[in-house]
Amino acid sequence: WFVNRVEKAEPRAILEKIRDGAFDPREVAYVAEVPATTIDPVGYVASAQPAVRDSADTTAAPAAPAGSLGSGVISITRYEPHHIEIDVAATGNNFLVLSEIHYPPGWRATIDGKHADIIQTNYLLRGLVVPQGRHKIEMHYALDSINTGKWVSLGMNLVAFGMVVAGAMTERRRPEEADPRHEAPVIAEDDV
């Protein structure tokens, strides 16, 4: 979901706000470091807080109806344990919150194929700054140590297979050893 604003907060304060129900997660996202990009609101209005407008004020822009989710479109097009694809349409520089656990060592994100920073949001979720327009967001898990282990394992398997083949070929080329019972010279009984 997109949020109206982003605020910096300490981890303990975030947990206390979550515990106390002291914030609307669609209104604000709490982060450890505020992104350098200014976040544009999406127009979300909570149903418990209807917009109030003076009917005599004709110059003000019309307020969003109470309970409005705001603008922006988010569609998850692929969801697998190690790969997520999302199509979005952002109305400005919007902040996207994903209800996925923030795990920095292995998760990578791209927006239209370009690297995007994943921001720890609301203590344990992921967030991204999405520029205005239609975009394809991809998140994939690619821990370097897993990839290294995969290649080392493949290499060791190839070495072991090569050793088995080399051993079989060496055994095949070795001359048959003589069987002493059948190939010994015959001794006549008279010679004994």
Side-chain angles (χ1 to χ4, degrees):
W1 67 90
F2 286 122
V3 296
N4 280 336
R5 59 193 169 89
V6 173
E7 289 183 14
K8 182 177 180 176
E10 295 300 318
R12 184 171 180 91
I14 295 170
L15 289 173
E16 288 171 355
K17 289 175 187 290
I18 292 170
R19 180 194 65 204
D20 299 340
F23 82 104
D24 182 347
R26 293 194 63 96
E27 170 65 29
V28 62
Y30 291 105
V31 295
E33 292 297 323
V34 176
T37 306
T38 302
I39 302 301
D40 299 320
V42 293
Y44 167 74
V45 178
S47 58
Q49 301 169 347
V52 177
R53 194 178 117 169
D54 183 1
S55 60
D57 184 6
T58 58
T59 60
S68 170
L69 295 178
S71 56
V73 177
I74 303 161
S75 175
I76 297 174
T77 56
R78 182 176 172 191
Y79 186 87
E80 296 174 359
H82 296 115
H83 191 90
I84 302 169
E85 293 180 9
I86 307 166
D87 289 337
V88 299
T91 59
N93 288 324
N94 300 144
F95 192 79
L96 175 67
V97 178
L98 297 161
S99 57
E100 290 287 323
I101 300 297
H102 178 68
Y103 187 70
W107 281 97
R108 308 285 184 260
T110 60
I111 298 177
D112 297 330
K114 296 176 187 161
H115 171 76
D117 291 328
I118 299 174
I119 300 167
Q120 184 175 358
T121 306
N122 296 345
Y123 189 75
L124 75 153
L125 301 179
R126 296 182 213 162
L128 291 169
V129 176
V130 181
Q132 183 175 4
R134 293 190 170 280
H135 303 283
K136 180 174 203 67
I137 297 172
E138 290 189 63
M139 291 190 154
H140 60 278
Y141 187 75
L143 192 58
D144 294 336
S145 61
I146 289 177
N147 288 332
T148 301
K150 178 174 62 175
W151 288 109
V152 167
S153 177
L154 177 64
M156 296 304 288
N157 282 327
L158 289 174
V159 167
F161 180 73
M163 290 174 70
V164 168
V165 169
M169 293 186 74
T170 302
E171 185 66 29
R172 181 177 281 187
R173 289 186 189 155
R174 185 179 300 169
E176 301 270 339
E177 293 181 13
D179 183 357
R181 274 189 323 191
H182 298 291
E183 300 207 12
V186 178
I187 300 175
E189 280 185 34
D190 296 341
D191 293 336
V192 184

